[in-house]
Amino acid sequence: MDRPVQPATALYLHVPFCASSCDFCSFYQEQPKRGELDRFLATIEQELALQPPGRVETAFWGGGTPGLLPADDLSRLGEAMVRAAGQPREWTVELAPSSVRADKLAALKALGVTRVSMGVQSFDDATLDALGRRHSPKQVMEAWELIEAAGFASRNLDLIFAIPGQDERRWTEDLRRALALKPDHLSTYCLTFEEDTAMFVKLSQGKVKIDRELEARLYRGTWEQLEAAGYAQYETSNFARPGHACRHNLITWEMGSWIGYGPSASSQWEGRRWTNPANLDQWTQGVAAGRPVREQVKELSAPDLLCDALVFGLRLNAGVDPAALAARFATPLPAGITRLFADLAAEGLMEADGPKVRLTGEGRMRADAVGVAVLERFD
Ligand code: SF4
């Protein structure tokens, strides 16, 4: 198999602990107990030492709630990562408002963390309640003050819209309150109903409903409000002030290489994709035995990578250059893709810009369906 060119490398580290479960969340997480935290830290150190990635350009600690770890544990984890992967140029750590403390932020700053991302979701008590989220708007404001004082190079807020009970007025107010904090980056996600979540159960029981027309209005309203405030959209759900786009996410959307550590973390590395077990015991046992367990292992062919580079690249406002991607992965574009792009353009969902194609606003709202159509051309 030809090894495709891999332009940039990223490291993802999954910290699988949360103080409580949010109703919409399907990420792997456990209740934090001291013994489990120690086991996790010791195993991550072993996993990093067993398969060190070499120098990476970016690192991202997600979860779970990495910011739940005490300051000493954050330092221990960060030092282990830097020993194995060097000092990343961009290093993001996710925080939850209820667990932000000055000593933790100081530990992260001392490690060289450049970017923090706080999962706010909403500033409205009733909306937070509908999400089963256990922080208060007051905690968000207190956490933000500490984050500002710590002086990170880039600060992101995550928000969610189309939450049951949230109309356009409430969402506009959430955005207004987020903008008042002047973050460098904003991620705004439309609520999704993932299987095995409390929110999905409510949907199946008819207790909540999906309103696609409201979702479309909220998408459009978000894009207008953020653009007017000086935030450039660079992906369907992501907006940044100049110079603050998240490089780590761009590496994954542009089909670079990333390696994941910790339970449930996914990797795309050296022409192969896999996922670590979403189970602390299984993950620990594999690493302790010197043979990390890898699930859903897939050897990646050049057409696989070309297909995914098109699907994910089309979510970016910059669009993609199909011919350049075909050359990068040394494989031809499939028959029918030019016709598909012409049809999408005729429907007003896509536009050409020199050698590039990109989705229009309407197209970005239907990016999932466009992705499926692209995939079908590769079958
Ligand atoms: S949304 Fe974040 S804090 Fe809530 S359960 Fe999921 S990972 Fe934990």
Side-chain angles (χ1 to χ4, degrees), residues 17-18 20-22 24-25 27 29 63-65 96 121 133:
F17 302 105
C18 290
S20 61
S21 279
C22 303
F24 60 93
C25 180
F27 294 123
Q29 33 97 7
T65 314
Q121 321 315 358
R133 188 78 196 202

Side-chain angles (χ1 to χ4, degrees), residues 120-266:
V120 170
Q121 321 315 358
S122 173
F123 292 85
D124 179 72
D125 268 320
T127 309
L128 285 168
D129 218 40
L131 283 176
R133 188 78 196 202
R134 317 261 181 265
H135 64 251
S136 65
K138 184 166 170 276
Q139 280 174 314
V140 172
M141 306 310 282
E142 287 167 358
W144 190 254
E145 261 181 45
L146 293 173
I147 288 170
E148 286 214 301
F152 292 96
S154 208
R155 303 141 318 144
N156 172 58
L157 294 177
D158 275 354
L159 297 175
I160 296 181
F161 63 91
I163 299 163
Q166 183 190 45
D167 55 14
E168 279 165 284
R169 187 191 56 74
R170 277 177 149 177
W171 171 237
T172 304
E173 178 59 12
D174 264 340
L175 278 179
R176 191 194 65 72
R177 291 189 66 179
L179 289 170
L181 299 181
K182 299 189 170 40
D184 303 295
H185 187 286
L186 272 160
S187 299
T188 60
Y189 299 107
C190 184
L191 180 67
T192 53
F193 294 81
E194 308 288 339
E195 275 185 54
D196 298 327
T197 63
M199 201 58 96
F200 184 81
V201 173
K202 284 186 198 164
L203 182 71
S204 355
Q205 292 170 339
K207 290 183 182 160
V208 297
K209 292 204 164 35
I210 296 176
D211 180 343
R212 296 285 179 218
E213 285 185 12
L214 175 65
E215 284 181 8
R217 289 202 300 280
L218 295 178
Y219 265 117
R220 285 193 201 99
T222 305
W223 298 350
E224 283 165 18
Q225 204 173 338
L226 294 187
E227 191 186 345
Y231 291 81
Q233 183 183 29
Y234 67 101
E235 194 265 351
T236 311
S237 307
N238 286 283
F239 306 80
R241 290 179 192 274
H244 288 278
C246 176
R247 178 77 194 124
H248 181 88
N249 286 339
L250 284 168
I251 289 175
T252 60
W253 294 323
E254 290 171 351
M255 290 303 115
S257 288
W258 60 93
I259 185 160
Y261 297 90
S264 82
S266 293

Side-chain angles (χ1 to χ4, degrees), residues 1 3 51 264-277 282 291-301 304:
M1 184 183 68
R3 288 283 182 239
Q51 41 188 31
S264 82
S266 293
S267 304
Q268 173 165 300
W269 196 253
E270 296 178 339
R272 198 169 290 130
R273 212 172 266 166
W274 73 88
T275 305
N276 290 355
Q282 250 183 299
R291 288 187 306 279
V293 179
R294 294 179 172 185
E295 297 176 342
Q296 300 164 53
V297 180
K298 180 175 162 58
E299 297 291 332
L300 294 170
S301 66
D304 289 335

Side-chain angles (χ1 to χ4, degrees), residues 298-320:
K298 180 175 162 58
E299 297 291 332
L300 294 170
S301 66
D304 289 335
L305 285 162
L306 174 60
C307 176
D308 287 346
L310 286 171
V311 169
F312 287 92
L314 282 171
R315 300 183 68 87
L316 300 173
N317 288 47
V320 289

